[in-house]
Each structure stands twice: as structure tokens, then as C-alpha cells.
Amino acid sequence: MTQMTNQNPEAGEVAPLIAKLAGYLEQDIGTARALPMEMYTSKALLDAEREHVLKREWLCVGRLEQVEAPGDYFTVELLGEPVVVVRDREGVLRAMSAVCRHRYYSVVEGAGNAKVFSCPYHKWGYGLDGCLRGAPHMDAVEELRKRGQSDRLPQLPLETWLGFIFVNLDPDAEPLLPRLADAEPHWSALGVEEWRVSPWVDEEWPGNWKLAMETALEGYHVNGLHPETFASFMPSRGTAFEATSEQWTLFRMETVFKGEFEVYRPFADRLTGKDQTTVPQFGFFPNCAVSCTQFNAIWLTFLPIDVDRTRVIGGNLVHPDLYKALEADAALRDSNAASIDRVNSEDASAMVGLQRNAASAHAEPGLLCEMERCLLYFYRYLAQRLEDGVRGA
Ligand code: FES
Ligand SMILES: [Fe+2]
């Protein structure tokens, strides 16, 4: 642990919290306890997480199906940065800042297909590669004429993996794919790269982003929070840790096909070995989770708005056969969307409980169990990244 100096106020306030996180490097299940409440309420810690972790890490922002054709684009706000992801005319997939090079307006919002991006404020025009193509009534401005098309929307690192699109706000980011290669064998049997989203998710949860991530990292809560949606199909007792790395963590849950879930058995029967009876639940550090069954996978990315507010983007990926059925049947599509909404609301409800009790004098961190093992790895990851970040600041 580095000695923090008093000259850096951020380090001074955050250092004790990082030291507590670093304690998880030494602990194991049996003695490890939940994070202290202040980890979910400290604005200084959230600032450090934003600057030293989230703004330097790969953030899962979308799926390839959103940008299949040249001109297809979507926008996303990442930690206060407006970003556009676009497939340009040459077919190159790009991520870039959407902030106009003139006076800060967003050159594009929402999603669609475009030939150029025309800033709504004064109509500066940008090619799909981000280069400035035109600036009305600016001919007399010598400096702009000289810079010409070299004036460009800043490009951001982008990588794709199994149909997911990841963007990094750090232009010098290390590549992502080498860090995920060892995760692929654990779920390649499912064929998730072919699955399509129905429905998309974009909502706000009333709690800290780490708590949202934690909910996705353990199956212990299934019987408690999801008694009717998941508990009979994927009960807590079927949770088992499988593997972890610096970048990801994985546990599996048993699936039980009975009652209303009987119709999904054929999706499991197509698989072999343990994939027939168990399903992988991935956490991608720092803020993304993909919770699979044999026929769907709920992908969620957690973006902090404040210590007690989190924007959740993602979607429910479904097997192509199921996607076809949903496309053909509006009632089925609606009920599928309603059940995804219900499950997410159940997870979001965990946050209400924590925020309600945040000021309690009796909010003591309790012991963790083996089913919560992945939380340990999450805390260790955060400790390491925050230590490195604050040390380098
Ligand atoms: S702010 Fe974009 S053209 Fe003026
Ligand atoms: Fe859950």
C-alpha cells in the first residue's frame, strides 16, 4: 500500500477506503465481510472510481446488431462523455466523442442511419469518420481553413467480442481481447454472438453502481429477490463458483425445467455436458454482467450517475429461434419484455433497502458466504485499480 500524502485532498479522503478494499486481498470466505456502508455513500470514492477505474476501463455499450449497415449509429453517455458509435461508409466501426468542435453541442443524439452528422446548433457537418466536412459562414476564419479536415471528433478505442461492443474513454487503453480470451471457452457453446436483443434496457436504479454489480455477481439472492421469476428455475442452492481472472469472474447456476419453464428445455437439450443443466453467470470488471440461461442472456452495464443513482443499459439477448418467435407474436414479445422488466425491478429493489438504511448506526458489514465468492474478486480488482490510479495521479 502506498503512503498517501496530505497534499492531495482526494487521496487523503479516499486512502482509508482503498486500504479497506485492499484488505480483501488477504481475506477469504469465512472471514470476509460485506463492504462497509461508506463505500456506497462516499462521493470522494465515487470520484476516484470514475477517474481511476471507469474512465480507464473497457465499457460494454452495445451490440453489433445496432450498427450492421454503413451509416448505422447509436449514441451513449459514458460518465458524462457523449459518445457516438457508428459504422462508417467503408464499414469501419468507430467510437468517437459527439461533442462539436465549435461550441460544445452534441453533433448527434439517439440512434439511426446517417450520411453525415450535422450539428443542430450551427450546422457544422462531420463525416462518419468524424472529420469536419463543412462549417457554414466560416470561410473568413483563416485558422479553421488551415486545419480543414484535420479538425476531427476525437476517436476512442473500440473493440468487439461475441457481438458486444466495448468502448474505452482512455485513448491509450491496453487492448481488451487478450484479457477476455480465457473467458471464451466457458460460454462459447451457447453461441451468444448470434443472439439478438429483445427487449433493450435503459433505466435508472436507485443505488450505488457497485451494489448493482454485486447483485449480478452472486446467485445467493435469487430465492429472496426473485421468488416467482427465477427461484423455481434457477434456485440459489444450485450456485457454484467456477473461475476468475483479472478481468472477469464466473459462477454457474443449475437450471430446472418444470412448470412454465418446461417449454425452454429444447434449448438445453441441444447443448452437451454441463451446459445442459447449468448456466454461466459472468461479471466483466468493472461494471458489466451477463447472466445466461440456455435460451437468453441478460446483459447489463452499470454507469454511476451519483453515489445513489445508477444508469443501467443493456438488453435481453435471446437465442435466434426464440427471437423469431418473439418477432412473430406481439403478445409473447410483450410478456417477455414484462418479465425482464420485473426481474430487473427485483434486483433494483436491493438498492432501496441499502439506501434506506445508509444512515443507521447499526449498519454493520455482515459475513459473506461461498455463494458470494465473486464479490471478493470484485473488491480485489477495485482495490488494485484504485491503488494504481491514485498512486499514478
Ligand atoms: S456548436 Fe456545433 S455547429 Fe456550433
Ligand atoms: Fe438478481
Side-chain angles (χ1 to χ4, degrees):
M1 185 73 203
T2 325
Q3 194 63 43
M4 309 294 178
T5 67
N6 288 335
Q7 279 98 31
N8 183 343
E10 180 210 276
E13 191 174 341
V14 166
L17 300 179
I18 298 178
K20 280 185 190 169
L21 273 170
Y24 286 89
L25 296 166
E26 312 297 328
Q27 292 170 42
D28 208 338
I29 296 300
T31 55
R33 292 178 175 271
L35 288 187
M37 187 66 90
E38 59 199 325
M39 298 281 189
Y40 303 104
T41 56
S42 163
K43 284 191 188 291
L45 181 62
L46 178 61
D47 288 345
E49 289 164 349
R50 277 198 181 111
E51 292 309 312
H52 303 307
V53 185
L54 293 155
K55 287 188 176 177
R56 298 177 182 200
E57 267 292 14
W58 291 92
L59 307 174
C60 185
V61 299
R63 293 281 296 172
L64 283 175
E65 69 182 87
Q66 293 170 277
V67 278
E68 282 174 336
D72 285 354
Y73 71 87
F74 65 90
T75 60
V76 59
E77 192 189 302
L78 294 177
L79 309 157
E81 287 290 347
V83 170
V84 57
V85 174
V86 60
R87 190 173 291 284
D88 73 15
R89 287 188 195 195
E90 281 69 48
V92 178
L93 197 55
R94 298 178 179 279
M96 47 202 180
S97 165
V99 179
C100 185
R101 308 291 287 165
H102 181 219
R103 277 169 50 201
Y104 324 119
Y105 214 79
S106 289
V107 300
V108 61
E109 290 189 60
N113 185 278
K115 290 194 166 46
V116 292
F117 296 133
S118 177
C119 178
Y121 200 170
H122 311 94
K123 291 302 192 186
W124 282 26
Y126 298 86
L128 301 182
D129 56 0
C131 291
L132 184 62
R133 299 273 188 245
H137 310 295
M138 296 291 282
D139 292 351
V141 181
E142 178 73 10
E143 174 64 20
L144 188 68
R145 257 212 329 272
K146 272 196 289 190
R147 280 191 296 180
Q149 292 196 359
S150 67
D151 212 338
R152 188 178 197 188
L153 300 173
Q155 308 286 299
L156 299 170
L158 176 150
E159 291 196 30
T160 63
W161 186 68
L162 302 185
F164 293 102
I165 300 171
F166 291 83
V167 171
N168 201 312
L169 293 172
D170 178 358
D172 303 316
E174 297 285 325
L176 172 68
L177 295 192
R179 290 195 256 160
L180 294 184
D182 51 358
E184 206 161 318
H186 291 283
W187 66 341
S188 54
L190 292 176
V192 169
E193 58 271 39
E194 307 294 330
W195 295 11
R196 292 181 77 89
V197 173
S198 179
W200 296 92
V201 172
D202 187 348
E203 52 197 52
E204 191 178 313
W205 289 8
N208 187 274
W209 73 278
K210 293 191 297 296
L211 189 66
M213 183 68 178
E214 288 170 17
T215 305
L217 291 179
E218 49 93 351
Y220 187 32
H221 72 275
V222 167
N223 289 6
L225 289 190
H226 308 294
E228 286 163 23
T229 45
F230 273 152
S232 63
F233 170 62
M234 290 199 310
S236 297
R237 67 164 188 280
T239 300
F241 170 73
E242 182 155 305
T244 189
S245 84
E246 247 180 65
Q247 201 66 37
W248 54 268
T249 190
L250 164 67
F251 65 96
R252 278 186 175 264
M253 297 194 74
E254 269 174 26
T255 44
V256 183
F257 294 97
K258 62 180 186 190
E260 62 181 297
F261 292 100
E262 186 73 42
V263 294
Y264 297 113
R265 185 187 295 276
F267 292 98
D269 288 345
R270 290 174 204 176
L271 300 166
T272 57
K274 67 182 176 189
D275 291 314
Q276 283 193 333
T277 53
T278 67
V279 283
Q281 314 292 306
F282 280 98
F284 294 103
F285 299 148
N287 66 336
C288 174
V290 182
S291 308
C292 301
T293 74
Q294 289 93 346
F295 54 89
N296 81 327
I298 301 178
W299 147 55
L300 298 174
T301 295
F302 307 110
L303 297 163
I305 301 169
D306 205 337
V307 284
D308 55 359
R309 290 165 62 209
T310 300
R311 183 173 172 212
V312 183
I313 61 170
N316 177 47
L317 280 61
V318 294
H319 187 284
D321 290 353
L322 189 50
Y323 188 80
K324 257 185 249 155
L326 292 171
E327 284 293 278
D329 184 339
L332 190 61
R333 201 162 59 240
D334 288 350
S335 84
N336 173 63
S339 69
I340 296 301
D341 190 44
R342 181 169 175 192
V343 166
N344 285 339
S345 305
E346 289 167 349
D347 282 324
S349 73
M351 304 181 138
V352 177
L354 181 133
Q355 297 304 148
R356 193 173 42 217
N357 296 336
S360 166
H362 303 289
E364 299 276 334
L367 287 161
L368 302 179
C369 76
E370 175 58 30
M371 286 185 199
E372 295 165 297
R373 172 167 289 282
C374 294
L375 301 189
L376 272 184
Y377 301 124
F378 180 43
Y379 303 155
R380 290 175 186 175
Y381 161 89
L382 283 176
Q384 206 67 62
R385 294 300 160 111
L386 285 166
E387 266 195 347
D388 292 349
V390 172
R391 185 186 299 138

